[in-house]
Amino acid sequence: MAFKLGDVIIDRLQFGYGALNDQALYALTQLQNATIDITADSTDVKDKDGNLVYRKYSGKTGEVTATNAFLNLAIAEIVSAQDAEVATTEKTIVMPIFKIVKAGETLDVTDAVEDSFVVNALSSNGSLGKAYTKGAGAATETEYGVAENTFTPPTDKEEVQYLVKYKKNVKSGAKVTISGDKYPKAHELYFKALAVDKCNVNGGYRGVVIHIPSFIPSPDVSLALEGGDSQTMDYKGAILTDTCSVGQEMVEIFFIDEEEEA
């Protein structure tokens, strides 16, 4: 029997997938939700008494808004419009490092950039105290020491801890840069969801794939630097119309009537 169009229930959004024709760009596996809005401009035709007799629609536009459960560096890379730098053993990246070192303890500073240290006393109430300079040898009350990849804080008896900032050649990590003169480029966007038939909720899951042939991410980004249960990151953008194609497709919805595992 042929499939009939009707009501379905979206059980969950599985993932988002960005791509070019022959290249996968990213996958978003922690999407909490995604909304696609299609709107159009309208022109009303009314009679002499102001009654609406015809409405003409034109100028369709589409917007996508999705929420990821966590801060996602792949999203940050896409909206930054430039490739992230990935650190390796062969190609290190200089990164800033911050450490709190208690008085009397030492710190391993392997791969630190020479003469990049900035050291201040840090009081128990969180305020910065006096600054210290690097000594020629061992640490003293007014100087810190750096020797054989080891940082030794000053021996100032009035201080309990120190805030140490320095630069390090990092061998594993990434650097994402958001610049003022670079903007995201258009690409394909897919969403994969699982649905159930509302008249047969025990019949298993069915796959639903939403395909947006041309999506351009918004350069707007909000980074929530906080703990707790609010770690979300929005991903949004516009749906572009391919005016060079015959169908001028904006969104395609594929319902695969085959049972899937959750």
Side-chain angles (χ1 to χ4, degrees), residues 75-181:
I75 293 177
E77 180 186 36
I78 292 299
V79 301
S80 73
Q82 49 190 323
D83 294 338
E85 298 178 55
V86 178
T88 65
T89 302
E90 294 75 23
K91 187 179 179 181
T92 61
I93 298 176
V94 176
M95 298 188 184
I97 306 294
F98 291 86
K99 296 289 185 180
I100 295 177
V101 181
K102 294 181 179 179
E105 296 184 349
T106 59
L107 176 67
D108 183 353
V109 290
T110 301
D111 297 322
V113 176
E114 188 176 0
D115 296 329
S116 65
F117 288 83
V118 178
V119 180
N120 288 83
L122 182 64
S123 68
S124 56
N125 67 5
S127 62
L128 281 178
K130 53 188 172 183
Y132 297 87
T133 57
K134 180 182 177 181
T140 67
E141 287 191 10
T142 58
E143 297 175 326
Y144 62 87
V146 178
E148 298 181 354
N149 297 323
T150 300
F151 169 86
T152 304
T155 59
D156 192 333
K157 295 181 176 58
E158 296 182 358
E159 306 299 340
V160 295
Q161 60 185 2
Y162 301 87
L163 180 59
V164 181
K165 180 257 183 183
Y166 65 100
K167 295 179 181 179
K168 177 180 178 178
N169 291 290
V170 174
K171 299 177 180 178
S172 179
K175 176 185 177 182
V176 179
T177 303
I178 300 176
S179 302
D181 60 347

Side-chain angles (χ1 to χ4, degrees), residues 11 14 34 155 201 222:
D11 179 85
Q14 280 193 308
T155 59
V201 294
S222 179

Side-chain angles (χ1 to χ4, degrees), residues 219-248:
D220 299 339
V221 61
S222 179
L223 305 176
L225 304 179
E226 57 184 292
D229 58 359
S230 181
Q231 299 284 327
T232 60
M233 183 177 185
D234 290 337
Y235 186 45
K236 53 191 176 182
I239 298 171
L240 306 180
T241 301
D242 184 2
T243 58
C244 296
S245 68
V246 175
Q248 298 192 19

Side-chain angles (χ1 to χ4, degrees), residues 1 4 13 29 37 63 94 96 110 150 154 169 177 187 200 235 247 257 261:
M1 183 175 65
K4 295 182 179 180
L13 178 62
T29 62
D37 294 307
E63 299 288 335
V94 176
T110 301
T150 300
N169 291 290
T177 303
H187 57 270
N200 184 20
Y235 186 45
D257 193 17
E261 295 291 332

